Amino acid sequence: MNSERPSSYRWTICALLFVATTINYIDRQVLGILAPTLQRTLNWSEADYGDIVSWFSFAYAFGFLVAGRLIDWIGVRRGLATAVVAWSAAAIGHAFARTVAGFSLARAFLGASESAIFPGSIKAVAEWFPQRERALATGIFNAGTNTGAILTPLLVPWIALTWGWQWAFVATGGLGLLWLLFWIPLYREVSVETNAAAGAKVLWTRLFGHRQTWAFIVGKLMADPVWWFYLYWVPKFLDAKYGVKLGQLAAPIIVVYLIADVGSVGGGWLSSALIKRGWSVNRARKTTMLAMALLIVPTTLASRAPTMWTAVLIVGVAAAAHQAWSANVYTLASDMFPNSAVGSVVGIGAFAGAMGGVVFQRVTGNWTGSSSERQ
């Protein structure tokens, strides 16, 4: 990072990325909050719902391959601005859907456009933050995923119960357009000439010849489907297991994602603190990730929890561990590759993770549907 850049400006960038990530997750979470209501209103089966959400993951996956490379090419400022306009339009488009096919199409467009958020954000962090601060900065903006999940159950049920479910999509979809009023005048692009860490342009296909790329791919493939499960199926789990309806979802969902927020920032802070204590970057990142992976194991007990709040606590700790793990695995991309290739590498790895989500959502939808029929 160029030493002449204002020392506080990088945190302005981090704040903008945090807000963008929050909006990104609000827009994708609306369907999960409204799922029980929409299933009853539009007569969806469990398999229908699984197919709808899998279309988001499918388009999101392939969108990553394009978005990562595009952002490396045109830069973070224009790349994220274009993506936000597109995903805001797609989010609003849900309000006009009435069929499974219509919602599937809206989810596909939303997924394709929202895929730019992580390649763009990780690239911005790599450009503006020194290595010892990157995991912390990533943990902070990544906490927007949980903040979005906290705000959604507060906003969406109230909007839906007051004006109808269609307005929930319209109102939340408009938030991204407001964010652009700050992003466009405030974000300054980093030129390759002043960015010492940029490195030479890397041919996209050659990235697959590096074992570091495959390490990142495997990490995302194994972990991302777990997060999709939390995002889309926790409201349905609470509805089915404990009878938690739309108007009662806010409290348990908020608790889960508040705990996850602590994990996201804490996980980034932990590896950054270890590096400042003299640990190597490799050792600090991997030690933190191992500890977080072990914390996720007790999630298997959630379905046997005697009370709703016990289940919420178990899921919350697992979500926190996942977010702490993610803050570090995302940072690995900027640790291992020059800035000119960071967007592309993140896009490739995130593609693998999202494709894992496609399979997981379809299997989960079909399995829960079959279980319901047997009962």
Side-chain angles (χ1 to χ4, degrees):
M1 186 179 70
N2 193 319
S3 60
E4 295 180 359
R5 294 175 194 152
S7 61
S8 62
Y9 178 70
R10 66 189 186 279
W11 297 109
T12 300
I13 299 299
C14 190
L16 287 168
L17 297 174
F18 168 80
V19 175
T21 307
T22 298
I23 295 170
N24 185 284
Y25 266 69
I26 287 175
D27 287 344
R28 74 176 69 180
Q29 180 78 352
V30 173
L31 182 64
I33 296 296
L34 292 177
T37 299
L38 291 173
Q39 280 190 270
R40 287 187 280 266
T41 302
L42 301 176
N43 298 315
W44 292 346
S45 66
E46 293 291 340
D48 287 337
Y49 181 69
D51 287 344
I52 289 169
V53 297
S54 73
W55 274 109
F56 174 92
S57 299
F58 186 79
Y60 193 58
F62 282 94
F64 273 124
L65 295 178
V66 177
R69 192 60 176 167
L70 184 65
I71 287 173
D72 278 340
W73 180 40
I74 68 174
V76 175
R77 184 174 184 267
R78 285 186 295 170
L80 280 184
T82 301
V84 171
V85 171
W87 92 51
S88 297
I92 293 171
H94 286 67
F96 302 96
R98 293 296 181 274
T99 64
V100 171
F103 275 92
S104 297
L105 183 62
R107 295 311 286 177
F109 278 110
L110 184 67
S113 50
E114 283 201 336
S115 63
I117 188 64
F118 283 103
S121 296
I122 296 297
K123 185 176 178 67
V125 167
E127 290 178 341
W128 287 101
F129 285 82
Q131 195 173 51
R132 67 181 181 276
E133 292 180 348
R134 287 177 187 172
L136 176 58
T138 299
I140 291 172
F141 89 70
N142 187 57
T145 63
N146 309 301
T147 303
I150 291 168
L151 293 176
T152 309
L154 291 174
L155 295 173
V156 171
W158 178 75
I159 296 171
L161 293 172
T162 304
W163 291 298
W165 62 263
Q166 296 92 337
W167 281 103
F169 288 109
V170 173
T172 55
L175 294 174
L177 303 179
L178 294 177
W179 176 82
L180 287 172
L181 298 178
F182 297 91
W183 174 256
I184 292 173
L186 288 177
Y187 189 84
R188 300 199 300 271
E189 196 70 79
V190 179
S191 66
V192 174
E193 290 75 13
T194 61
N195 187 0
K201 292 292 182 181
V202 179
L203 187 64
W204 189 82
T205 53
R206 290 186 178 176
L207 292 172
F208 292 93
H210 296 275
R211 65 180 184 177
Q212 294 94 332
T213 302
W214 288 103
F216 187 69
I217 288 172
V218 172
K220 295 295 290 176
L221 178 63
M222 298 298 291
D224 280 15
V226 177
W227 188 249
W228 295 123
F229 179 80
Y230 294 147
L231 190 66
Y232 286 123
W233 294 92
V234 166
K236 290 176 63 56
F237 166 71
L238 295 176
D239 178 52
K241 179 81 173 177
Y242 301 104
V244 179
K245 302 304 179 186
L246 181 62
Q248 305 167 314
L249 270 177
I253 293 296
I254 286 172
V255 170
V256 168
Y257 289 109
L258 275 175
I259 298 172
D261 257 342
V262 174
S264 182
V265 178
W269 171 85
L270 179 58
S271 67
S272 294
L274 293 174
I275 292 171
K276 289 179 181 179
R277 285 178 175 270
W279 287 40
S280 69
V281 172
N282 182 59
R283 183 186 176 198
R285 302 275 195 250
K286 289 181 178 178
T287 299
T288 302
M289 290 168 66
L290 175 61
M292 296 306 108
L294 294 174
L295 276 178
I296 294 177
V297 175
T299 314
T300 56
L301 302 174
S303 62
R304 300 178 182 180
T307 67
M308 180 198 73
W309 286 111
T310 303
V312 166
L313 180 61
I314 293 171
V315 172
V317 171
H322 184 281
Q323 290 293 274
W325 195 92
S326 292
N328 283 276
V329 77
Y330 269 126
T331 308
L332 286 175
S334 62
D335 291 336
M336 298 185 296
F337 292 91
N339 291 353
S340 60
V342 167
S344 297
V345 172
V346 171
I348 292 168
F351 164 78
M355 286 304 294
V358 170
V359 175
F360 195 79
Q361 298 305 329
R362 289 185 179 271
V363 170
T364 303
N366 289 319
W367 183 82
T368 55
S370 298
S371 298
S372 298
E373 290 173 5
R374 287 195 300 268
Q375 293 173 0

